[in-house]
PDB file of all heavy atoms in Angstrom:
ATOM      1  N   THR A 211     166.331 110.925 -85.396  1.00 86.00           N
ATOM      2  CA  THR A 211     165.559 112.075 -85.807  1.00 86.00           C
ATOM      3  C   THR A 211     165.179 111.934 -87.253  1.00 86.00           C
ATOM      4  O   THR A 211     165.520 110.934 -87.905  1.00 86.00           O
ATOM      5  CB  THR A 211     166.386 113.386 -85.645  1.00 86.00           C
ATOM      6  OG1 THR A 211     167.436 113.407 -86.628  1.00 86.00           O
ATOM      7  CG2 THR A 211     167.004 113.462 -84.247  1.00 86.00           C
ATOM      8  N   ALA A 212     164.517 112.943 -87.807  1.00 84.00           N
ATOM      9  CA  ALA A 212     164.108 112.876 -89.211  1.00 84.00           C
ATOM     10  C   ALA A 212     165.319 112.768 -90.148  1.00 84.00           C
ATOM     11  O   ALA A 212     165.182 112.177 -91.237  1.00 84.00           O
ATOM     12  CB  ALA A 212     163.303 114.132 -89.575  1.00 84.00           C
ATOM     13  N   LYS A 213     166.469 113.280 -89.745  1.00 85.00           N
ATOM     14  CA  LYS A 213     167.643 113.286 -90.614  1.00 85.00           C
ATOM     15  C   LYS A 213     168.793 112.456 -90.089  1.00 85.00           C
ATOM     16  O   LYS A 213     169.849 112.423 -90.713  1.00 85.00           O
ATOM     17  CB  LYS A 213     168.123 114.714 -90.859  1.00 85.00           C
ATOM     18  CG  LYS A 213     167.116 115.613 -91.594  1.00 85.00           C
ATOM     19  CD  LYS A 213     167.694 116.959 -91.827  1.00 85.00           C
ATOM     20  CE  LYS A 213     166.707 117.852 -92.597  1.00 85.00           C
ATOM     21  NZ  LYS A 213     167.257 119.211 -92.852  1.00 85.00           N
ATOM     22  N   PHE A 214     168.567 111.764 -88.978  1.00 88.00           N
ATOM     23  CA  PHE A 214     169.666 111.014 -88.365  1.00 88.00           C
ATOM     24  C   PHE A 214     169.237 109.607 -87.992  1.00 88.00           C
ATOM     25  O   PHE A 214     168.208 109.430 -87.337  1.00 88.00           O
ATOM     26  CB  PHE A 214     170.186 111.749 -87.119  1.00 88.00           C
ATOM     27  CG  PHE A 214     171.324 111.076 -86.402  1.00 88.00           C
ATOM     28  CD1 PHE A 214     172.600 111.225 -86.845  1.00 88.00           C
ATOM     29  CD2 PHE A 214     171.058 110.237 -85.339  1.00 88.00           C
ATOM     30  CE1 PHE A 214     173.655 110.570 -86.212  1.00 88.00           C
ATOM     31  CE2 PHE A 214     172.096 109.593 -84.672  1.00 88.00           C
ATOM     32  CZ  PHE A 214     173.390 109.753 -85.127  1.00 88.00           C
ATOM     33  N   ARG A 215     170.015 108.619 -88.394  1.00 92.00           N
ATOM     34  CA  ARG A 215     169.680 107.227 -88.091  1.00 92.00           C
ATOM     35  C   ARG A 215     170.848 106.457 -87.492  1.00 92.00           C
ATOM     36  O   ARG A 215     170.665 105.285 -87.117  1.00 92.00           O
ATOM     37  CB  ARG A 215     169.200 106.517 -89.385  1.00 92.00           C
ATOM     38  CG  ARG A 215     167.878 107.022 -89.929  1.00 92.00           C
ATOM     39  CD  ARG A 215     166.736 106.571 -89.014  1.00 92.00           C
ATOM     40  NE  ARG A 215     165.447 106.900 -89.589  1.00 92.00           N
ATOM     41  CZ  ARG A 215     164.826 108.046 -89.428  1.00 92.00           C
ATOM     42  NH1 ARG A 215     165.414 109.011 -88.761  1.00 92.00           N
ATOM     43  NH2 ARG A 215     163.622 108.248 -89.948  1.00 92.00           N
ATOM     44  N   ALA A 216     172.032 107.031 -87.387  1.00 91.00           N
ATOM     45  CA  ALA A 216     173.227 106.310 -87.005  1.00 91.00           C
ATOM     46  C   ALA A 216     173.331 106.138 -85.499  1.00 91.00           C
ATOM     47  O   ALA A 216     174.315 106.570 -84.885  1.00 91.00           O
ATOM     48  CB  ALA A 216     174.464 107.005 -87.566  1.00 91.00           C
ATOM     49  N   VAL A 217     172.370 105.491 -84.891  1.00 94.00           N
ATOM     50  CA  VAL A 217     172.375 105.274 -83.462  1.00 94.00           C
ATOM     51  C   VAL A 217     173.341 104.140 -83.115  1.00 94.00           C
ATOM     52  O   VAL A 217     173.542 103.228 -83.937  1.00 94.00           O
ATOM     53  CB  VAL A 217     170.978 104.930 -82.910  1.00 94.00           C
ATOM     54  CG1 VAL A 217     170.033 106.082 -83.130  1.00 94.00           C
ATOM     55  CG2 VAL A 217     170.401 103.683 -83.547  1.00 94.00           C
ATOM     56  N   PRO A 218     173.976 104.162 -81.971  1.00 96.00           N
ATOM     57  CA  PRO A 218     174.990 103.152 -81.637  1.00 96.00           C
ATOM     58  C   PRO A 218     174.342 101.791 -81.241  1.00 96.00           C
ATOM     59  O   PRO A 218     173.170 101.763 -80.823  1.00 96.00           O
ATOM     60  CB  PRO A 218     175.726 103.744 -80.456  1.00 96.00           C
ATOM     61  CG  PRO A 218     174.734 104.634 -79.782  1.00 96.00           C
ATOM     62  CD  PRO A 218     173.860 105.194 -80.909  1.00 96.00           C
ATOM     63  N   SER A 219     175.105 100.762 -81.360  1.00 96.00           N
ATOM     64  CA  SER A 219     174.644  99.437 -80.992  1.00 96.00           C
ATOM     65  C   SER A 219     174.862  99.226 -79.480  1.00 96.00           C
ATOM     66  O   SER A 219     175.640  99.923 -78.822  1.00 96.00           O
ATOM     67  CB  SER A 219     175.428  98.361 -81.758  1.00 96.00           C
ATOM     68  OG  SER A 219     176.779  98.315 -81.318  1.00 96.00           O
ATOM     69  N   ALA A 220     174.193  98.218 -78.938  1.00 96.00           N
ATOM     70  CA  ALA A 220     174.367  97.870 -77.525  1.00 96.00           C
ATOM     71  C   ALA A 220     175.818  97.480 -77.254  1.00 96.00           C
ATOM     72  O   ALA A 220     176.361  97.780 -76.195  1.00 96.00           O
ATOM     73  CB  ALA A 220     173.414  96.746 -77.136  1.00 96.00           C
ATOM     74  N   GLU A 221     176.445  96.784 -78.219  1.00 97.00           N
ATOM     75  CA  GLU A 221     177.835  96.377 -78.013  1.00 97.00           C
ATOM     76  C   GLU A 221     178.774  97.571 -77.940  1.00 97.00           C
ATOM     77  O   GLU A 221     179.672  97.628 -77.110  1.00 97.00           O
ATOM     78  CB  GLU A 221     178.276  95.448 -79.166  1.00 97.00           C
ATOM     79  CG  GLU A 221     179.647  94.830 -79.025  1.00 97.00           C
ATOM     80  CD  GLU A 221     180.775  95.758 -79.459  1.00 97.00           C
ATOM     81  OE1 GLU A 221     180.558  96.627 -80.312  1.00 97.00           O
ATOM     82  OE2 GLU A 221     181.891  95.668 -78.880  1.00 97.00           O
ATOM     83  N   GLN A 222     178.525  98.550 -78.784  1.00 97.00           N
ATOM     84  CA  GLN A 222     179.322  99.767 -78.738  1.00 97.00           C
ATOM     85  C   GLN A 222     179.175 100.505 -77.405  1.00 97.00           C
ATOM     86  O   GLN A 222     180.133 100.926 -76.791  1.00 97.00           O
ATOM     87  CB  GLN A 222     178.945 100.707 -79.881  1.00 97.00           C
ATOM     88  CG  GLN A 222     179.399 100.284 -81.254  1.00 97.00           C
ATOM     89  CD  GLN A 222     178.907 101.219 -82.330  1.00 97.00           C
ATOM     90  OE1 GLN A 222     177.735 101.487 -82.454  1.00 97.00           O
ATOM     91  NE2 GLN A 222     179.869 101.772 -83.107  1.00 97.00           N
ATOM     92  N   ILE A 223     177.932 100.623 -76.988  1.00 97.00           N
ATOM     93  CA  ILE A 223     177.637 101.341 -75.739  1.00 97.00           C
ATOM     94  C   ILE A 223     178.310 100.667 -74.565  1.00 97.00           C
ATOM     95  O   ILE A 223     178.903 101.305 -73.683  1.00 97.00           O
ATOM     96  CB  ILE A 223     176.130 101.462 -75.532  1.00 97.00           C
ATOM     97  CG1 ILE A 223     175.481 102.327 -76.634  1.00 97.00           C
ATOM     98  CG2 ILE A 223     175.794 102.057 -74.178  1.00 97.00           C
ATOM     99  CD1 ILE A 223     173.978 102.254 -76.663  1.00 97.00           C
ATOM    100  N   SER A 224     178.223  99.339 -74.528  1.00 97.00           N
ATOM    101  CA  SER A 224     178.853  98.606 -73.450  1.00 97.00           C
ATOM    102  C   SER A 224     180.380  98.784 -73.443  1.00 97.00           C
ATOM    103  O   SER A 224     180.995  98.986 -72.372  1.00 97.00           O
ATOM    104  CB  SER A 224     178.523  97.097 -73.576  1.00 97.00           C
ATOM    105  OG  SER A 224     179.197  96.331 -72.592  1.00 97.00           O
ATOM    106  N   ARG A 225     180.985  98.783 -74.625  1.00 98.00           N
ATOM    107  CA  ARG A 225     182.431  98.957 -74.712  1.00 98.00           C
ATOM    108  C   ARG A 225     182.843 100.361 -74.233  1.00 98.00           C
ATOM    109  O   ARG A 225     183.802 100.505 -73.508  1.00 98.00           O
ATOM    110  CB  ARG A 225     182.882  98.730 -76.160  1.00 98.00           C
ATOM    111  CG  ARG A 225     184.402  98.772 -76.326  1.00 98.00           C
ATOM    112  CD  ARG A 225     184.830  98.428 -77.714  1.00 98.00           C
ATOM    113  NE  ARG A 225     184.529  99.441 -78.726  1.00 98.00           N
ATOM    114  CZ  ARG A 225     183.603  99.270 -79.676  1.00 98.00           C
ATOM    115  NH1 ARG A 225     182.893  98.141 -79.771  1.00 98.00           N
ATOM    116  NH2 ARG A 225     183.390 100.223 -80.559  1.00 98.00           N
ATOM    117  N   TRP A 226     182.095 101.355 -74.664  1.00 98.00           N
ATOM    118  CA  TRP A 226     182.437 102.720 -74.259  1.00 98.00           C
ATOM    119  C   TRP A 226     182.280 102.959 -72.767  1.00 98.00           C
ATOM    120  O   TRP A 226     183.040 103.677 -72.140  1.00 98.00           O
ATOM    121  CB  TRP A 226     181.572 103.727 -75.027  1.00 98.00           C
ATOM    122  CG  TRP A 226     181.851 103.709 -76.513  1.00 98.00           C
ATOM    123  CD1 TRP A 226     183.066 103.458 -77.117  1.00 98.00           C
ATOM    124  CD2 TRP A 226     180.916 103.912 -77.573  1.00 98.00           C
ATOM    125  NE1 TRP A 226     182.925 103.521 -78.459  1.00 98.00           N
ATOM    126  CE2 TRP A 226     181.632 103.817 -78.797  1.00 98.00           C
ATOM    127  CE3 TRP A 226     179.565 104.234 -77.591  1.00 98.00           C
ATOM    128  CZ2 TRP A 226     181.001 103.969 -80.002  1.00 98.00           C
ATOM    129  CZ3 TRP A 226     178.944 104.371 -78.821  1.00 98.00           C
ATOM    130  CH2 TRP A 226     179.673 104.248 -80.036  1.00 98.00           C
ATOM    131  N   LEU A 227     181.267 102.322 -72.173  1.00 98.00           N
ATOM    132  CA  LEU A 227     181.082 102.504 -70.763  1.00 98.00           C
ATOM    133  C   LEU A 227     182.297 101.898 -69.989  1.00 98.00           C
ATOM    134  O   LEU A 227     182.771 102.509 -69.016  1.00 98.00           O
ATOM    135  CB  LEU A 227     179.790 101.781 -70.280  1.00 98.00           C
ATOM    136  CG  LEU A 227     179.437 101.920 -68.794  1.00 98.00           C
ATOM    137  CD1 LEU A 227     179.273 103.396 -68.413  1.00 98.00           C
ATOM    138  CD2 LEU A 227     178.187 101.143 -68.494  1.00 98.00           C
ATOM    139  N   LYS A 228     182.807 100.777 -70.412  1.00 98.00           N
ATOM    140  CA  LYS A 228     184.006 100.205 -69.785  1.00 98.00           C
ATOM    141  C   LYS A 228     185.190 101.138 -69.927  1.00 98.00           C
ATOM    142  O   LYS A 228     185.974 101.273 -68.983  1.00 98.00           O
ATOM    143  CB  LYS A 228     184.277  98.825 -70.390  1.00 98.00           C
ATOM    144  CG  LYS A 228     183.262  97.752 -70.026  1.00 98.00           C
ATOM    145  CD  LYS A 228     183.560  96.424 -70.740  1.00 98.00           C
ATOM    146  CE  LYS A 228     182.503  95.392 -70.419  1.00 98.00           C
ATOM    147  NZ  LYS A 228     182.737  94.110 -71.173  1.00 98.00           N
ATOM    148  N   ILE A 229     185.303 101.719 -71.115  1.00 98.00           N
ATOM    149  CA  ILE A 229     186.434 102.639 -71.368  1.00 98.00           C
ATOM    150  C   ILE A 229     186.365 103.822 -70.385  1.00 98.00           C
ATOM    151  O   ILE A 229     187.351 104.242 -69.796  1.00 98.00           O
ATOM    152  CB  ILE A 229     186.440 103.129 -72.808  1.00 98.00           C
ATOM    153  CG1 ILE A 229     186.818 101.993 -73.765  1.00 98.00           C
ATOM    154  CG2 ILE A 229     187.361 104.302 -73.010  1.00 98.00           C
ATOM    155  CD1 ILE A 229     186.648 102.323 -75.229  1.00 98.00           C
ATOM    156  N   VAL A 230     185.173 104.390 -70.235  1.00 98.00           N
ATOM    157  CA  VAL A 230     185.032 105.570 -69.387  1.00 98.00           C
ATOM    158  C   VAL A 230     185.217 105.190 -67.905  1.00 98.00           C
ATOM    159  O   VAL A 230     185.888 105.908 -67.173  1.00 98.00           O
ATOM    160  CB  VAL A 230     183.661 106.237 -69.600  1.00 98.00           C
ATOM    161  CG1 VAL A 230     183.489 107.413 -68.639  1.00 98.00           C
ATOM    162  CG2 VAL A 230     183.544 106.743 -71.033  1.00 98.00           C
ATOM    163  N   ARG A 231     184.614 104.104 -67.507  1.00 98.00           N
ATOM    164  CA  ARG A 231     184.707 103.696 -66.100  1.00 98.00           C
ATOM    165  C   ARG A 231     186.138 103.369 -65.623  1.00 98.00           C
ATOM    166  O   ARG A 231     186.409 103.424 -64.438  1.00 98.00           O
ATOM    167  CB  ARG A 231     183.768 102.511 -65.819  1.00 98.00           C
ATOM    168  CG  ARG A 231     182.325 102.921 -65.674  1.00 98.00           C
ATOM    169  CD  ARG A 231     181.463 101.787 -65.243  1.00 98.00           C
ATOM    170  NE  ARG A 231     180.134 102.263 -64.816  1.00 98.00           N
ATOM    171  CZ  ARG A 231     179.120 101.452 -64.582  1.00 98.00           C
ATOM    172  NH1 ARG A 231     179.237 100.151 -64.756  1.00 98.00           N
ATOM    173  NH2 ARG A 231     177.948 101.954 -64.218  1.00 98.00           N
ATOM    174  N   ALA A 232     186.996 103.090 -66.552  1.00 98.00           N
ATOM    175  CA  ALA A 232     188.388 102.866 -66.170  1.00 98.00           C
ATOM    176  C   ALA A 232     189.010 104.116 -65.576  1.00 98.00           C
ATOM    177  O   ALA A 232     189.981 104.066 -64.803  1.00 98.00           O
ATOM    178  CB  ALA A 232     189.182 102.430 -67.398  1.00 98.00           C
ATOM    179  N   GLN A 233     188.431 105.292 -65.904  1.00 98.00           N
ATOM    180  CA  GLN A 233     188.958 106.564 -65.393  1.00 98.00           C
ATOM    181  C   GLN A 233     187.927 107.338 -64.537  1.00 98.00           C
ATOM    182  O   GLN A 233     188.312 108.107 -63.679  1.00 98.00           O
ATOM    183  CB  GLN A 233     189.430 107.446 -66.562  1.00 98.00           C
ATOM    184  CG  GLN A 233     190.518 106.782 -67.398  1.00 98.00           C
ATOM    185  CD  GLN A 233     191.048 107.700 -68.467  1.00 98.00           C
ATOM    186  OE1 GLN A 233     191.777 108.631 -68.166  1.00 98.00           O
ATOM    187  NE2 GLN A 233     190.708 107.460 -69.726  1.00 98.00           N
ATOM    188  N   CYS A 234     186.686 107.142 -64.853  1.00 98.00           N
ATOM    189  CA  CYS A 234     185.579 107.829 -64.150  1.00 98.00           C
ATOM    190  C   CYS A 234     184.597 106.740 -63.656  1.00 98.00           C
ATOM    191  O   CYS A 234     183.635 106.408 -64.350  1.00 98.00           O
ATOM    192  CB  CYS A 234     184.893 108.825 -65.054  1.00 98.00           C
ATOM    193  SG  CYS A 234     185.927 110.103 -65.719  1.00 98.00           S
ATOM    194  N   PRO A 235     184.843 106.175 -62.477  1.00 96.00           N
ATOM    195  CA  PRO A 235     184.112 104.976 -62.052  1.00 96.00           C
ATOM    196  C   PRO A 235     182.592 105.164 -61.934  1.00 96.00           C
ATOM    197  O   PRO A 235     181.855 104.161 -61.989  1.00 96.00           O
ATOM    198  CB  PRO A 235     184.689 104.725 -60.643  1.00 96.00           C
ATOM    199  CG  PRO A 235     186.054 105.361 -60.674  1.00 96.00           C
ATOM    200  CD  PRO A 235     185.881 106.562 -61.540  1.00 96.00           C
ATOM    201  N   ALA A 236     182.107 106.380 -61.772  1.00 89.00           N
ATOM    202  CA  ALA A 236     180.667 106.572 -61.613  1.00 89.00           C
ATOM    203  C   ALA A 236     179.920 106.806 -62.958  1.00 89.00           C
ATOM    204  O   ALA A 236     178.738 107.144 -62.932  1.00 89.00           O
ATOM    205  CB  ALA A 236     180.401 107.774 -60.678  1.00 89.00           C
ATOM    206  N   ALA A 237     180.600 106.594 -64.045  1.00 97.00           N
ATOM    207  CA  ALA A 237     179.969 106.791 -65.348  1.00 97.00           C
ATOM    208  C   ALA A 237     178.756 105.877 -65.536  1.00 97.00           C
ATOM    209  O   ALA A 237     178.752 104.780 -64.971  1.00 97.00           O
ATOM    210  CB  ALA A 237     180.990 106.550 -66.463  1.00 97.00           C
TER     211      ALA A 237
END
């Protein structure tokens, strides 16, 4: 946005998806 630039990296997103899917498989 106009005041926000701290978007996550692809590596971060991939890591978080694995973390969530360990408990919520349909994430």
